[in-house]
Amino acid sequence: MAVFFRFGKRVTINWYLLPVTQPIPHNQQYVYIQSKNYSTKKSRKVELNEEELNVIKLDELRHDMSAALDTLKWDYTHTITTRLSPMIIGNLTITWKEKQMKLKDLSQISMPNSQNIIINFSSQPHYIQDAVNILQAKVNINPTVDGSVIKASVPKPSKEVREKLSKDAKSYADKAKVRIRRVRQQAISNLRKHGESVSKDSVKRIENIIQKITDENIDNIEKMLKAKTIELHKQ
């Protein structure tokens, strides 16, 4: 949340819901930035003056870090899951003559119910065996082939599959953390390049807010990982 005080009036923008894109008025004296934690609802406040705001673009910083969380959310929903869907199957890739291709580009995929999947290769039947191999290796499915159609029952995930998915979930979370820290490092680097126009105290204060926003995003990744791990191990 960003709270602006101008001429004694209070204006609030919820930046934790949407990136702040509004330009900062040139005559604005102070801005109070409250970093909001999604789970605990606790807030932290850092005061920045106009000169400091000209050194760091907080909206871009928040946007870039939020993008890492959005990617992780997508991966957890569509990739790291015990619930198979046509999208997950369709994004599996096979290699043909040193070229990688997705199943969705080679076939028609459908699930008449949550327990069965049908993959129709009528237009390109020469990919069937490669598709069977990738289904067995990647999603633990043992399909049957009926002409140019692959049929399979979706098995209940085994303990081993759930443990593998949990490891994959941690790997995705670690990658998201690396992305967040790269954004932080770039912001610190830019600050030190252009921080000559403000005092050392200002540079330190800006570094603190960058670190607080970083910590908040890392904390949210940890919460997402914890929730995903619990979900994966539910019977």
Side-chain angles (χ1 to χ4, degrees), residues 21-72:
T21 57
Q22 292 86 347
I24 298 171
H26 293 297
N27 61 349
Q28 184 174 301
Q29 297 299 317
Y30 297 98
V31 175
Y32 291 85
I33 304 296
Q34 293 179 318
S35 58
K36 196 174 184 70
N37 186 298
Y38 299 100
S39 300
T40 64
K41 303 300 182 181
K42 292 181 179 179
S43 61
R44 300 166 182 159
K45 185 171 67 174
V46 177
E47 180 180 323
L48 298 178
N49 59 38
E50 183 180 5
E51 291 180 347
E52 293 166 345
L53 289 169
N54 290 331
V55 175
I56 179 174
K57 297 181 179 179
L58 290 177
D59 54 338
E60 291 185 8
L61 177 69
R62 291 190 293 264
H63 178 273
D64 292 345
M65 290 191 178
S66 293
L69 268 70
D70 291 341
T71 299
L72 183 61

Side-chain angles (χ1 to χ4, degrees), residues 22 25 38 45 49 56 64 75 80 85 114 122-123 154 159 161 190 194 204 208 214 222-223 229-230:
Q22 292 86 347
Y38 299 100
K45 185 171 67 174
N49 59 38
I56 179 174
D64 292 345
D75 289 331
I80 309 298
S85 68
S114 62
S122 58
S123 61
V154 179
K159 179 180 178 182
V161 170
N190 290 338
H194 306 289
K204 183 64 177 178
N208 285 339
T214 301
E222 287 291 345
K223 288 180 171 62
T229 302
I230 292 173

Side-chain angles (χ1 to χ4, degrees), residues 1-2 13-20 33-35 62 216:
M1 176 185 295
I13 297 176
N14 291 323
W15 61 261
Y16 55 90
L17 296 177
L18 292 172
V20 178
I33 304 296
Q34 293 179 318
S35 58
R62 291 190 293 264
E216 179 180 291

Side-chain angles (χ1 to χ4, degrees), residues 9 32 51 61 64 67 85 101 116-118 121 128 130 135 137 158 174 193 206 209 217-218 225 229:
K9 296 183 178 180
Y32 291 85
E51 291 180 347
L61 177 69
D64 292 345
S85 68
M101 296 171 287
N116 295 282
I117 187 165
I118 298 174
F121 281 91
I128 287 180
D130 293 287
L135 288 170
S158 64
D174 289 342
K193 286 181 182 178
I206 296 171
I209 191 173
N217 281 279
I218 294 294
L225 174 59
T229 302

